[in-house]
Amino acid sequence: MPVYNDLEGAFRAANAVSFDDLLGLPVRLLTEHQDVRERYEKRFRVILVDEYQDTNRAQYEFIRLLGARHGNVVVVGDDDQSIYGWRGADVRNILDFERDYPAARVVRLEENYRSTPQVLALANAVISENEERRGKVLRATRPSGDPVVLVAALDDRDEADYIAAEIEQRRTRNGEPLGANAILYRTNAQSRVLEESLRRRAIPYRLVGAVRFYDRREIKDLLAWLRLIANPADDEAFRRAITAPRRGIGETTVEMLALAAADAGVPLLEAARREDLTTGARIATRNALADFAAVVGRFRVKAEDSSVDRLTLSLVDEIGYADALRAEGPEGLERLDNVAELARGAAELVIDEGGEVGLRPLDHFLQRATLVAGLDLLGPDADAVTMMTLHTAKGLEFPVVFIAGLENGLFPLSRSFDDPALLEEERRLFYVGITRAERKLYLTWARSRRRNGELISSAISTFMTPAAEKLVEPQATIRLRASGRSGGVGIRAESAPRDWDDDSPRTWRRDASRERAVHMDEMSQDVPAFVQGERVKHKTFGSGTISAMAGAGRDAKVTVDFDDENVGRKRLVVAFAGLEGGFD
């Protein structure tokens, strides 16, 4: 508090103001000085405000004070698109407009020139569930178009693969440019698996309002550590890893070490380990260098037989990287989510692609990560898919839109279920996403999603009410149908309806004519069937418990936590693992 109390004085001394002051001080000036207010009232006889639904309380008061005498205030806004409550916007400003301006005339702009009737019908049905709104019904001026598709996927990887494959097919089948497509999601952490699927198909994409996954600081930090563990002679990786997190070793020390290493003809890591090459440094610095080298040495041993995800998570704990990120506040917590995504992606990548004979899992992972991270940046005119959060998409439009992750707990976010106002804002955000689509809209959700390294079952978003369901064409991905979890001849959606305490499932009929055929080898009856939590036995690794599952048919994979600590966690292809079930 003493620091905050001194802040205003410091600003005054510097003849400066904060961004908040740019709003607060004009309101204070107009409130406390009638002569100033009257002067500006005479100067501005008509006031026009755009995007009025995004105004906060200070802006509201500023507009009210300026327009108090003449009442000539014109505001343009859409209460159904008020999505910035988390940064101070108050939807009540537009809802209560007539209270402060009783003579105001309201003109509803309900003709929509952007979207097809199918898209707008869903938007109207979704937003009608909100109680705090003025009420309007959008009417399309465009002719009838394609139905809105609701796609259920087996997991988030399957969801991402479906989206990437559909974009690829639309380009091949319809000659549609990649730039016609936009992928929208609720949280930035969702982009990683989507990026991977696009990259595997060599589909260019732009990430708007965020940094590409492999370009993020925390990802580069951990990749530097992993590269150094894999190759102790990688001096570039050493220079980055030694500062992540910081350990009292500055740039000057590293440069001194580099000179000593060059004279001795050894890599930086070897120089850090040798006392004869660090004699010029302080004792604390020498100890820090030796500890760093020891950590790398221990993890080189672990890397021989450890899975990359376990190696990465263990490394994060060992070097205190998680604590360093947490200390950065909310942004650090988001970075920690990306670290978990990196570990998860490592587990998926190695088992899915197999790798070359003789390569350790870490070597194969780094080989692939280097190729992915090294893709050239797109030019400004390149044809590419657009990826962004739903908040970033406001005001934009695209011929084809995919909204991914339509699940309770993700969209809407879990915390919104305890706050009706927040839930309504989440629904408005969904409405904004829907109305970005001009011609075609896809909604996708996953029956299970990986969070914090665990595969968690998901329920379709409560936004998909019975009224909304009637306006979409339900489909299931090939992998979901092959898994048997799609409900047989229909798609079984474990969705919470309007009352989300009722988790009774719904069954949708499938339009088989619009779905691709499932090949017989994907439905093989010869592959053993297991369930999550089942006890199994492996002829080499012994007994263990299945902690996660992915894929279906011949591609089915399981993650097994073996009882033997020296074995630990393994990811196995069911068809070739020789697992036996039924053990207690």
Side-chain angles (χ1 to χ4, degrees):
M1 182 61 74
V3 173
Y4 183 80
N5 289 337
D6 292 341
L7 186 61
E8 184 174 356
F11 272 125
R12 287 180 178 276
N15 195 28
V17 296
S18 68
F19 280 107
D20 287 342
D21 288 338
L22 292 175
L23 291 175
L25 290 179
V27 171
R28 182 175 170 183
L29 179 67
L30 296 177
T31 301
E32 298 178 356
H33 299 275
Q34 183 177 347
D35 58 325
V36 175
R37 185 173 69 251
E38 289 177 350
R39 185 165 79 246
Y40 281 103
E41 285 175 342
K42 293 176 182 178
R43 181 176 178 183
F44 300 111
R45 302 181 63 86
V46 178
I47 299 171
L48 171 63
V49 185
D50 195 14
E51 300 289 355
Y52 190 67
Q53 78 279 351
D54 294 333
T55 55
N56 58 32
R57 199 63 192 177
Q59 292 166 324
Y60 168 85
E61 286 295 330
F62 182 69
I63 296 163
R64 188 184 64 80
L65 287 166
L66 280 181
R69 171 177 291 186
H70 302 293
N72 291 331
V73 177
V74 180
V75 301
V76 181
D78 183 357
D79 53 303
D80 290 334
Q81 295 192 52
S82 180
I83 59 173
Y84 296 115
W86 49 275
R87 70 182 191 192
D90 188 350
V91 69
R92 302 304 313 179
N93 290 353
I94 193 168
L95 295 179
D96 296 338
F97 186 76
E98 291 97 330
R99 182 191 63 190
D100 294 305
Y101 303 94
R105 178 187 173 201
V106 177
V107 179
R108 285 180 168 80
L109 305 177
E110 296 180 310
E111 281 195 321
N112 182 287
Y113 298 88
R114 172 190 296 155
S115 305
T116 63
Q118 286 81 357
V119 170
L120 295 184
L122 179 63
N124 288 329
V126 166
I127 202 62
S128 66
E129 296 293 317
N130 274 9
E131 296 181 1
E132 294 293 328
R133 64 188 295 261
R134 287 179 164 273
K136 67 177 181 299
V137 178
L138 296 180
R139 300 186 301 274
T141 59
R142 298 185 62 154
S144 182
D146 293 337
V148 176
V149 176
L150 175 65
V151 182
L154 183 63
D155 54 27
D156 45 347
R157 174 71 175 274
D158 185 33
E159 175 190 51
D161 286 344
Y162 169 85
I163 292 173
E166 189 68 16
I167 290 173
E168 197 169 49
Q169 285 195 19
R170 292 186 69 90
R171 177 171 59 172
T172 303
R173 186 173 61 237
N174 306 332
E176 192 169 68
L178 296 175
N181 299 276
I183 306 174
L184 311 181
Y185 37 82
R186 180 63 181 85
T187 66
N188 275 313
Q190 292 171 254
S191 76
R192 202 280 309 170
V193 67
L194 291 162
E195 289 183 65
E196 290 284 0
S197 290
L198 292 173
R199 287 175 183 273
R200 277 197 299 273
R201 289 172 172 79
I203 298 176
Y205 67 90
R206 284 190 179 86
L207 204 61
V208 179
V211 179
R212 287 180 174 229
F213 187 77
Y214 283 97
D215 291 336
R216 294 168 185 170
R217 183 239 300 173
E218 62 277 15
I219 303 304
K220 286 186 173 182
D221 286 348
L222 290 176
L223 285 178
W225 270 96
L226 294 174
R227 284 165 47 205
L228 187 60
I229 290 167
N231 176 16
D234 190 335
D235 286 350
E236 181 185 356
F238 177 96
R239 288 176 177 272
R240 183 162 194 126
I242 198 77
T243 64
R246 298 202 173 274
R247 60 194 68 248
I249 300 173
E251 188 175 329
T252 301
T253 298
V254 174
E255 292 306 322
M256 290 175 56
L257 187 68
L259 291 174
D263 289 342
V266 297
L268 284 171
L269 184 64
E270 177 63 22
R273 187 179 289 118
R274 287 175 48 175
E275 291 185 5
D276 61 312
L277 298 181
T278 59
T279 53
R282 294 179 293 116
I283 293 178
T285 302
R286 291 164 60 184
N287 289 339
L289 288 169
D291 289 344
F292 175 82
V295 170
V296 174
R298 288 197 299 274
F299 276 85
R300 275 187 59 75
V301 175
K302 289 184 178 181
E304 291 300 322
D305 56 9
S306 177
S307 62
V308 185
D309 60 323
R310 286 180 67 109
L311 186 75
T312 302
L313 294 175
S314 178
L315 176 67
V316 169
D317 287 337
E318 175 80 15
I319 65 177
Y321 196 67
D323 293 335
L325 291 179
R326 290 190 189 98
E328 296 180 10
E331 183 180 341
L333 294 178
E334 290 186 13
R335 294 187 184 278
L336 202 53
D337 287 341
N338 292 331
V339 169
E341 283 292 319
L342 177 69
R344 172 194 147 192
E348 292 176 352
L349 179 68
V350 173
I351 191 169
D352 285 347
E353 299 192 1
E356 298 176 18
V357 175
L359 281 184
R360 297 172 300 177
L362 176 60
D363 296 325
H364 174 58
F365 168 71
L366 290 173
Q367 189 178 77
R368 174 65 179 173
T370 299
L371 292 173
V372 168
L375 292 178
D376 292 335
L377 294 175
L378 296 171
D381 299 323
D383 185 28
V385 176
T386 299
M387 295 175 59
M388 67 183 81
T389 64
L390 286 141
H391 278 100
T392 306
K394 186 172 180 291
L396 303 177
E397 57 189 37
F398 302 89
V400 182
V401 169
F402 296 81
I403 299 180
L406 196 60
E407 301 140 34
N408 282 339
L410 181 59
F411 195 26
L413 296 174
S414 298
R415 62 176 179 267
S416 66
F417 288 109
D418 297 323
D419 185 341
L422 185 55
L423 184 61
E424 292 211 347
E425 181 163 318
E426 289 280 296
R427 190 178 283 110
R428 291 195 293 269
L429 184 59
F430 185 34
Y431 171 85
V432 166
I434 292 171
T435 53
R436 299 312 93 197
E438 297 174 355
R439 292 190 281 105
K440 182 68 176 181
L441 174 64
Y442 295 84
L443 309 174
T444 65
W445 70 286
R447 293 290 299 272
S448 55
R449 187 171 294 273
R450 290 170 183 82
R451 299 181 186 178
N452 300 320
E454 296 183 27
L455 193 63
I456 307 297
S457 295
S458 302
I460 192 170
S461 174
T462 189
F463 294 156
M464 292 308 299
T465 61
E469 287 177 16
K470 295 176 182 178
L471 300 172
V472 301
E473 178 183 285
Q475 295 183 11
T477 64
I478 290 176
R479 287 181 59 200
L480 179 58
R481 298 199 303 274
S483 72
R485 294 181 60 193
S486 61
V489 297
I491 302 171
R492 184 170 296 279
E494 295 173 350
S495 61
R498 297 175 67 174
D499 177 4
W500 49 82
D501 292 328
D502 174 12
D503 59 358
S504 56
R506 303 173 189 163
T507 303
W508 287 327
R509 288 174 296 180
R510 192 177 75 216
D511 182 357
S513 66
R514 298 186 61 87
E515 296 182 352
R516 291 166 288 184
V518 180
H519 297 292
M520 290 304 295
D521 59 354
E522 293 176 313
M523 299 290 290
S524 174
Q525 300 294 316
D526 298 328
V527 178
F530 297 102
V531 296
Q532 189 170 343
E534 183 175 353
R535 294 283 294 168
V536 294
K537 180 178 287 186
H538 187 276
K539 63 181 180 181
T540 301
F541 303 136
S543 299
T545 303
I546 295 178
S547 60
M549 305 180 67
R554 294 172 62 182
D555 293 327
K557 306 172 185 71
V558 292
T559 300
V560 182
D561 290 328
F562 287 99
D563 300 337
D564 188 340
E565 293 184 357
N566 294 323
V567 176
R569 174 175 292 181
K570 299 290 184 183
R571 283 164 177 76
L572 308 169
V573 178
V574 175
F576 308 110
L579 291 174
E580 298 178 50
F583 293 90
D584 295 327

